[in-house]
Every structure is written in structure tokens, then in C-alpha cells.
Amino acid sequence: MTDDDFKTVLNRYATRFNQEIDRFFPFPEGEEKRVAQAMHYSLTRGGKRLRPYLVFETAALFGVTFEQSLNTAMALEMLHTYSLIHDDLPAMDDDDRRRGFPTCHKQFDEATAIIAGDGLLTYAFEIMSRPATTPNPAVRCYLIEMLANAAGAFNGMVAGQMLDLICAAYSSGRRDTEELIKHIEEMKTGRLLRYAVEAGAVLGGATEQELRALLAYARRIGIAFQITDDILDVTGDERTMGKTLHKDEKQNKFTFVSLYGLDTARRIARELIAAARQDLEIFGDRAQNLKNLAAYIIERQH
Amino acid sequence: MTDDDFKTVLNRYATRFNQEIDRFFPFPEGEEKRVAQAMHYSLTRGGKRLRPYLVFETAALFGVTFEQSLNTAMALEMLHTYSLIHDDLPAMDDDDRRRGFPTCHKQFDEATAIIAGDGLLTYAFEIMSRPATTPNPAVRCYLIEMLANAAGAFNGMVAGQMLDLICAAYSSGRRDTEELIKHIEEMKTGRLLRYAVEAGAVLGGATEQELRALLAYARRIGIAFQITDDILDVTGDERTMGKTLHKDEKQNKFTFVSLYGLDTARRIARELIAAARQDLEIFGDRAQNLKNLAAYIIERQH
């Protein structure tokens, strides 16, 4: 399968996923629907749907269908979207555009964007709590606990966001290390990507050995994903990317590129992807799409 | 029991509740602990702990202990605190002080306050998902779904916040009605208060008749609570209240007071409380604290 073939596979999933979004939006009748509209707006401005696809494709290794993994995939994409809306706020990264569209606070207003993010985060947990997510309530509770922990303030996404803000503010007088960058990215991006794979494995009832292999895969593609983001921030095309570039540099952000330079960063990403593909050997051909996804992560142009 | 006696009961609960907070805060070692500190800061700046107390006292009707209702009470107070942090942000109500202390974005900074709110909201669901909340995972999922719905964007707290923002922005050219004000307050404040009582009833295994009585009580004290807030915004003492007053008027907010005047608003609140106490008759003396709480709600000075 060529890289283009895999893009078709990914796009087909995204199309199917996107068709389900409206079913999750019971717009109220009153004017309060503005916040639901803002949530829906941000959720439907493009997006590769990588996290939902990871849930789906991992669960599919074990025979779980699209419908059976949909709630988990949708909740995760909502949670990811909330984090983008809040990251883009003037007090945070202050971004006007994302994926070629005005960011939520530009399209609506700042107050609406704040509560639209809150609404998506809250709704993600409501979706996860429902029987349609998976019939066994003990499994649902486990998935909810994992998701909240991965997204949370102690060693999850919110903690990563905090550390990133601190490092950007005080970087000039600091000596940051590979260790610190990895720690930030692990929390900011890695944990949700890993959750996608872990949740798929839990939905599928993976054995401990299978789960270990999948988690190793998820950890490696997570770092490779972030390295590629850092590379694209330097080398990417603003039109293809649909967002403002060279922001890392302007905001003094520590990245793999600022630490190692482009060539070494590219080599590390390639090595991680080769190892990630190796992790999946125990699944044989069934894991071909997940292997292709790993390759796609470092080859993508946006 | 006099009103002062009840205040002692409430304060005793608040003290016990406050002593448990630190147990829920595993501060990270790294600098990312700043966001956990901001969450902890806002959670420990006073607060009457009315919502946790409602959970506790309702569950106690059915023999549930302090420890057995603690996770639910703590999660609810965290969720309430997130809503205060985000409401106080410059893009929202732009408040510098709350309960006599600097608001989160004043004490820390705006970005930290945004993610501290996100962190508390996320952590509330993590706490609810744990077995310590209640042993039966199906009940935990039910409590999580109810909580997310009550706090959410479709007809919960976030929807109420949205409608409140819209009404404040466009009030001059509008003709708002009692219906609309009630709808806003029902979503903004009422649903979380009702959740407190409903969650206590679910933890206690209330019968359908008992649940109906408790929900009627909760609905009435919710409206009375908001009417009293509106009254205190006009008549209260800024030092006692610990926050800026007369904000409703300045922000053109529609309130029960602006609609009816002080005297009628006071009378409606009194009637609601009398009816709420009546709702609890089926529980006899066991419900004395909940009845006293109803009276306290309209007699409080802050």
C-alpha cells in the first residue's frame, strides 16, 4: 500500500466520522444554542481525526466495529477540540487561525470560546458515561478515569500546557534539556494519543502482551508526531498548514528542532517510526493500517 | 434549632470537608505544579460548601456516611469552583475579587486560571469514576452522566452562562420576562444544586417517591438561592460579601429584583422556602437539617 492509499483510508474514516457528528448535537431551541454552535463550529473545521482513527483501528484489531468504538472516538475528538479552542485564546497562544479557518474566539467571541471549550470537555465525559460507549459500566468507568487522567492537571495534558507556558515565559535564563522537552510533549500530546490506542485496546479486550505492544507503539508515534509538528513549524507552508507558522521560535518555545537541528530531528522521528512498526509485529497483517499510520505521521505536510 | 445553631452545623461540615481537600491533591514535583496550586488556591478560598453539604445531608437521610458521600461532594465542589474561575475571567465577568481574596487570574495569571478551571473540571470526572465514589460502577456512570448533563452546554450550567452573556449584551433592546430569568437561573445555578440533592438520593438508594420529594425541594431552594443572590447584590455589604456588588445593575443583568422590586422578590423567596420545607415532610425529623438549610439560604448575609 502506498502512502496515497493510506491517505484514502484515513480520509474515508474521517468522512464517516464527520457524518456522525450532528447526531451528537441536540441544539437547544433558545438563544443559548450559540455555545452549541461554537462547539460544533470548532469540531467541524477540518482535522485529520487521527485520535478517533487510532481508537477505531486499534479496537478493530479485535473485531470491534466502527459503531462500537464511535462514542469513545467522538468523546476523544471533542476533548482534543476543547484543548485547541482554549490554547488559541488571547491569554494563551493568541492564534487567529486554525486549519485555515478563524479560531473559535475570532468567529464568535472570547467568552463564547471559553465556555464552548468547557462545554466540549464536559460533553466528552457525558458521552463516555453512556451505555452506547461499551455495555459494561465497569469498563466505562475505567475509560473515563484513564481519559480524565490523561487530560488532567497532575501529569496529563493540562500539566503539559502549564509547563509549556512556564518554559516559554522564562526560557531566556534557563538551560532546558531533551528531558524537559520530552516531558512536556509527553504530557501535552503524548498522553491523549496513547489514550486513543489504550482505549481501543480496552474496548477490544486486548491481552496484557497485546496492550504492552500497543502502548509501546503509541508512545513512539506520539513523540514522532510532536517532532514532526516542530519540523513543520519551521519548514511547512502556511497555506497547506492553515495556521500561523514560526510561532515556536517567536514564543521562545523549546522544540526538538531548536535542540537538535532539522536533520537530527528528522532522523530521530524516522527511527521512532521504524521501531513503532516493529512493535506491532505480533498482530501480523491485521495491523497494516496502524503501521501505515505510523509512516504517515512523519510524512504528512500539515 | 435557631439559625445560629444551623450555621454551626454547616460550619462543622465545611471544616471537615476542607480537611479532606489536600488528600485529593497529588502536587507534581516539577514546575507544572503551578496549575495544581492554582486549582487548590481557588478551592480553598472560603466558600460555604453548600453543594457538598447538600450531597452529604441528603445521602445521610438514607444512612450514607460522610466518607461514603465525600467523592461526590468533592467532585461537585471542584466543578462549581471551575465555573467560578472561568466566570471571573476578564472576557467573562472580569472580577478581581471573590470571597475577599484575589480571583484566580489575579493571584496567578489569565492563562493559568483558564487551565486551572479546565483541570478542576477534568479532575471532577476522574474522582467520580473511582470506586471510592460508590462501589457499583453502573451507579457511578449514572452519576457522571447526570453531572455532565447538569453542567453542560445543552441545557445545563454552560447553556445558562451563554444565555446570561447574551442577555447582558443585548438587554437594552429586549423585553425579557420572568420566564427567561427563571430559565437562565435554572440552568446556571439550579441544575447543580439539584444535582447535589439528586446525587445524594442516588447514593442513598432513595425510592421514587422520596426522589420526587427531594427534587421538588431542590428546585425550590435553587430559585430561592438565586433570588437571594440578586437581593444581596443590591442590599449586601461589600465587606461581608467579599466581592464587588451592584454588578448586575452595571452589567444590565436581568434579575428577580430588577423585575419585581425588592419586596416582592423577598416574598417569593419566603414562599418558596416554606414550600420546600413542606416537600420534606415525608422524612420527618431526619430532614431537620435540610429544612434548616432552606431557611438559611434566604437569611444568609453573604
Side-chain angles (χ1 to χ4, degrees):
Chain A
M1 186 186 260
T2 68
D3 195 49
D4 274 354
D5 290 337
F6 176 72
K7 267 191 213 150
T8 309
V9 169
L10 185 59
N11 285 337
R12 203 179 309 137
Y13 175 82
T15 303
R16 201 167 166 199
F17 176 88
N18 292 342
Q19 283 164 353
E20 300 288 339
I21 291 175
D22 284 6
R23 224 169 40 73
F24 286 85
F25 273 84
F27 289 112
E29 298 247 316
E31 295 176 81
E32 65 267 34
K33 68 170 172 286
R34 179 177 168 85
V35 66
Q37 286 165 337
M39 291 156 66
H40 187 270
Y41 170 83
S42 286
L43 197 56
T44 54
R45 292 313 98 171
K48 296 178 287 292
R49 313 304 187 197
L50 271 185
R51 289 159 193 78
Y53 181 72
L54 272 171
V55 175
F56 160 71
E57 196 64 62
T58 308
L61 282 179
F62 306 95
V64 175
T65 66
F66 174 87
E67 285 77 17
Q68 288 168 332
S69 62
L70 180 60
N71 268 30
T72 305
M74 187 65 72
L76 181 54
E77 189 70 1
M78 285 189 184
L79 199 142
H80 172 59
T81 304
Y82 119 75
S83 78
L84 301 180
I85 294 175
H86 281 189
D87 276 11
D88 287 339
L89 286 169
M92 307 276 289
D93 282 356
D94 194 13
D95 266 310
D96 289 354
R97 296 184 78 75
R98 153 105 43 202
R99 296 170 184 157
F101 295 96
T103 47
C104 193
H105 65 274
K106 280 288 165 188
Q107 181 71 19
F108 292 84
D109 58 77
E110 210 178 321
T112 303
I114 292 169
I115 64 175
D118 296 342
L120 282 168
L121 175 56
T122 306
Y123 196 37
F125 289 107
E126 184 168 350
I127 291 171
M128 290 305 292
S129 71
R130 295 177 180 163
T133 297
T134 193
N136 183 337
V139 177
R140 294 205 296 282
C141 280
Y142 181 60
L143 288 172
I144 290 168
E145 186 173 3
M146 281 200 319
L147 178 59
N149 194 273
F154 300 111
N155 64 341
M157 188 177 68
V158 166
Q161 191 59 44
M162 183 78 258
L163 202 48
D164 201 26
L165 285 165
I166 291 172
C167 288
Y170 301 110
S171 58
S172 54
R174 293 165 59 106
R175 204 175 134 271
D176 289 291
T177 60
E178 181 182 359
E179 218 47 50
L180 183 66
I181 298 172
K182 269 194 181 157
H183 187 47
I184 293 176
E185 298 309 344
E186 153 68 9
M187 294 195 293
K188 245 189 90 171
T189 316
R191 293 227 37 213
L192 274 202
L193 284 171
R194 219 158 75 229
Y195 174 80
V197 172
E198 194 168 3
V202 168
L203 288 172
T207 66
E208 212 169 304
Q209 191 209 1
E210 290 166 334
L211 184 62
R212 241 195 329 268
L214 286 164
L215 287 181
Y217 163 84
R219 191 181 295 264
R220 291 197 233 263
I221 65 168
I223 302 171
F225 183 87
Q226 192 55 51
I227 294 177
T228 307
D229 256 10
D230 293 349
I231 292 171
L232 286 172
D233 188 73
V234 176
T235 67
D237 175 63
E238 269 193 35
R239 231 170 21 191
T240 314
M241 299 280 286
K243 65 177 176 185
T244 318
L245 295 180
H246 310 292
K247 293 210 59 158
D248 293 341
E249 203 183 335
K250 280 179 208 137
Q251 296 181 3
N252 279 320
K253 289 217 174 151
F254 279 88
T255 72
F256 288 96
V257 175
S258 71
L259 190 68
Y260 294 120
L262 271 174
D263 287 347
T264 306
R266 281 202 184 97
R267 184 177 50 74
I268 295 173
R270 275 197 309 272
E271 286 170 6
L272 282 164
I273 291 307
R277 293 166 64 102
Q278 202 60 38
D279 291 325
L280 299 180
E281 276 312 312
I282 59 165
F283 297 103
D285 285 350
R286 284 185 296 150
Q288 196 52 51
N289 279 338
L290 286 176
K291 288 185 197 166
N292 291 334
L293 173 65
Y296 168 76
I297 274 179
I298 56 168
E299 283 154 18
R300 68 197 161 93
Q301 298 306 314
H302 62 95
Chain B
M1 186 186 261
T2 68
D3 195 50
D4 273 355
D5 288 339
F6 176 70
K7 266 190 215 151
T8 309
V9 169
L10 185 59
N11 285 337
R12 202 178 311 136
Y13 176 81
T15 302
R16 202 168 165 197
F17 177 88
N18 292 342
Q19 283 165 354
E20 300 289 338
I21 290 175
D22 284 6
R23 224 169 37 74
F24 287 85
F25 273 84
F27 290 110
E29 299 247 316
E31 294 175 82
E32 65 268 34
K33 69 170 173 285
R34 180 178 168 86
V35 66
Q37 286 164 337
M39 292 157 65
H40 187 269
Y41 170 83
S42 287
L43 196 56
T44 52
R45 292 312 99 171
K48 295 179 286 294
R49 312 305 187 196
L50 272 185
R51 289 159 192 79
Y53 181 72
L54 272 171
V55 176
F56 160 71
E57 196 65 61
T58 309
L61 282 179
F62 306 94
V64 175
T65 66
F66 174 88
E67 285 76 17
Q68 289 167 332
S69 61
L70 180 61
N71 268 30
T72 306
M74 188 64 72
L76 181 55
E77 189 69 1
M78 286 188 183
L79 198 142
H80 172 58
T81 304
Y82 119 74
S83 77
L84 300 181
I85 294 174
H86 281 189
D87 277 13
D88 288 338
L89 285 169
M92 306 278 287
D93 282 356
D94 195 13
D95 266 310
D96 290 355
R97 297 184 79 73
R98 154 100 48 197
R99 297 170 184 158
F101 295 96
T103 47
C104 193
H105 65 273
K106 279 288 163 187
Q107 181 70 20
F108 293 84
D109 58 78
E110 211 179 319
T112 302
I114 293 169
I115 63 174
D118 296 342
L120 282 169
L121 176 55
T122 306
Y123 196 36
F125 290 106
E126 184 168 350
I127 290 172
M128 290 305 293
S129 72
R130 294 176 180 163
T133 297
T134 193
N136 184 334
V139 176
R140 294 205 295 282
C141 281
Y142 181 60
L143 289 172
I144 289 168
E145 186 173 3
M146 284 202 316
L147 179 59
N149 193 275
F154 301 110
N155 64 341
M157 187 176 70
V158 166
Q161 191 60 43
M162 184 77 258
L163 203 48
D164 200 27
L165 286 164
I166 291 172
C167 288
Y170 300 110
S171 58
S172 54
R174 294 165 59 106
R175 203 175 135 269
D176 287 292
T177 61
E178 181 182 357
E179 219 46 51
L180 183 66
I181 299 172
K182 270 194 180 157
H183 187 48
I184 293 176
E185 298 308 344
E186 153 68 8
M187 293 193 295
K188 245 189 90 170
T189 317
R191 292 224 42 213
L192 274 204
L193 284 171
R194 219 159 76 230
Y195 175 81
V197 171
E198 196 168 3
V202 168
L203 288 173
T207 66
E208 214 169 301
Q209 191 208 1
E210 291 166 335
L211 184 61
R212 241 193 332 267
L214 285 165
L215 287 182
Y217 162 84
R219 192 181 294 266
R220 291 196 234 264
I221 65 168
I223 302 171
F225 184 87
Q226 192 54 50
I227 294 178
T228 307
D229 256 9
D230 293 349
I231 292 171
L232 287 171
D233 188 72
V234 176
T235 67
D237 175 62
E238 271 196 31
R239 228 169 23 188
T240 314
M241 300 279 286
K243 65 177 175 184
T244 317
L245 295 180
H246 310 291
K247 293 209 60 157
D248 293 340
E249 203 183 335
K250 279 179 211 140
Q251 297 182 1
N252 279 322
K253 288 218 173 150
F254 280 87
T255 72
F256 288 97
V257 175
S258 71
L259 190 69
Y260 293 121
L262 271 175
D263 287 348
T264 307
R266 281 202 185 98
R267 183 177 52 73
I268 295 172
R270 273 198 309 272
E271 286 169 5
L272 282 163
I273 292 308
R277 291 167 64 101
Q278 202 61 38
D279 291 325
L280 299 181
E281 275 313 311
I282 59 166
F283 297 104
D285 286 349
R286 283 186 296 150
Q288 196 53 52
N289 279 339
L290 287 176
K291 289 185 197 167
N292 291 334
L293 173 64
Y296 168 76
I297 274 179
I298 56 168
E299 284 155 16
R300 69 198 160 92
Q301 299 306 314
H302 62 95

